[in-house]
Amino acid sequence: MGPRWKGKGSEAKALAIPISNSISNLQSSLIKSNSQAILSGCSVLLAANPEQTELLNQTCFGRPVITVDKDKQWFQFTFEEAFYLCYSLNCIKIVDSNDNVKTTNELWEYMVSKRASFCHSFKAYAHLRVKNWVVRSGCQYGVDFVAYRHHPSLVHSEYGVLVFYEGNGMNDRLRVWSDFQCTLRLCGSVAKTLLVLYVGRNGESVTGSSVSCLDGLSVDEHTITRWSPERCREDQAVVN
């Protein structure tokens, strides 16, 4: 299943402004302004200037928050988005409510304490982002993430993404064939391919206690599609 562009000229617009270029520009802008985000519960808030607002919207990091402050546009990031900007792109600092800058390991420990699966979900998120996929929450489709080839205003998402890892694997999700069928039918009804990312260990003992555990994890990709009996009928020509 290929990309489904939204309207005439969408593909040309996407080719003219690659996501990788927009992310590079965002990274430079945030570094230049020494941007600091605020850790608040299970999310992270950042005040952005007009240039950064446009770039954050282009790259689909965070969601705009409506406030009474008309001079600044605030963005709310998920843990995965915030840690990717802080750790992978190294373009923002994150502070606590007392304006103390959190170290990478302090931030990691905090996020893991709030969500035990963060280590694996971040590894999967970063795996897709590094490949220049736009990654958004997939809760409305019953998956962890959805992946877009470019900005959602230009193209429909191509993949519904489930993250498996040792410790949950098949024990909690897609336990029986009917679970597979339900998920596949749901993805198929919204024209998405089901992509399973299995986050495993590289033959090492890995714990999520520090950010260094990411080096000991690998990601295997598997796409799952429904088999159609009509594809192998006798009355169809066989191509040698």
Side-chain angles (χ1 to χ4, degrees):
M1 187 181 299
R4 295 180 300 124
W5 299 101
K6 294 181 178 179
K8 186 177 180 180
S10 294
E11 184 176 7
K13 290 179 183 178
L15 292 173
I17 311 176
I19 283 292
S20 56
N21 287 3
S22 297
I23 289 178
S24 179
N25 292 336
L26 172 65
Q27 184 181 26
S28 298
S29 179
L30 291 173
I31 291 173
K32 189 182 300 183
S33 63
N34 195 28
S35 296
Q36 291 190 346
I38 303 169
L39 187 61
S40 177
C42 289
S43 61
V44 178
L45 299 172
L46 174 72
N49 62 37
E51 177 193 27
Q52 292 162 357
T53 295
E54 182 178 354
L55 289 169
L56 286 167
N57 284 326
Q58 284 180 11
T59 54
C60 294
F61 280 105
R63 295 187 181 277
V65 178
I66 298 175
T67 67
V68 295
D69 189 348
K70 296 182 179 180
D71 297 327
K72 295 180 181 178
Q73 173 63 66
W74 288 85
F75 280 80
Q76 181 178 16
F77 300 120
T78 64
F79 277 174
E80 287 82 5
E81 291 171 330
F83 200 75
Y84 189 80
L85 291 170
C86 178
Y87 174 73
S88 300
L89 297 184
N90 195 26
C91 59
I92 64 170
K93 294 181 175 63
I94 298 179
V95 301
D96 59 21
S97 56
N98 297 317
D99 285 335
N100 297 316
V101 177
K102 306 284 283 186
T103 66
T104 301
N105 273 324
E106 287 174 343
L107 190 61
W108 178 264
E109 290 171 3
Y110 177 87
M111 292 179 173
V112 170
S113 71
K114 292 294 185 181
R115 180 150 42 94
S117 63
F118 175 71
C119 174
H120 304 92
S121 65
F122 175 75
K123 183 70 177 183
Y125 175 89
H127 177 78
L128 293 173
R129 271 292 187 177
V130 165
K131 294 187 175 186
N132 292 315
W133 287 94
V134 171
V135 187
R136 304 297 277 175
S137 170
C139 62
Q140 63 183 329
Y141 301 112
V143 292
D144 294 306
F145 304 113
V146 286
Y148 297 80
R149 186 174 295 265
H150 207 277
H151 194 278
S153 67
L154 299 177
V155 68
H156 293 278
S157 57
E158 289 179 48
Y159 295 100
V161 183
L162 284 176
V163 180
F164 286 164
Y165 54 91
E166 187 174 344
N168 86 329
M170 296 295 183
N171 296 326
D172 300 324
R173 311 177 77 170
L174 306 189
R175 291 172 294 178
V176 294
W177 179 244
S178 58
D179 292 342
F180 272 102
Q181 282 288 80
C182 290
T183 305
L184 285 171
R185 282 187 174 276
L186 176 58
C187 287
S189 68
V190 289
K192 301 184 196 325
T193 298
L194 178 61
L195 172 63
V196 172
L197 298 182
Y198 184 84
V199 181
R201 297 179 295 181
N202 294 325
E204 304 175 21
S205 177
V206 177
T207 64
S209 58
S210 71
V211 70
S212 61
C213 77
L214 293 172
D215 296 330
L217 296 174
S218 61
V219 179
D220 290 327
E221 306 167 344
H222 302 278
T223 56
I224 303 176
T225 57
R226 292 176 62 202
W227 177 69
S228 176
E230 286 76 12
R231 294 179 182 175
C232 300
R233 295 183 59 174
E234 291 183 2
D235 57 358
Q236 287 187 337
V238 176
V239 179
N240 294 321

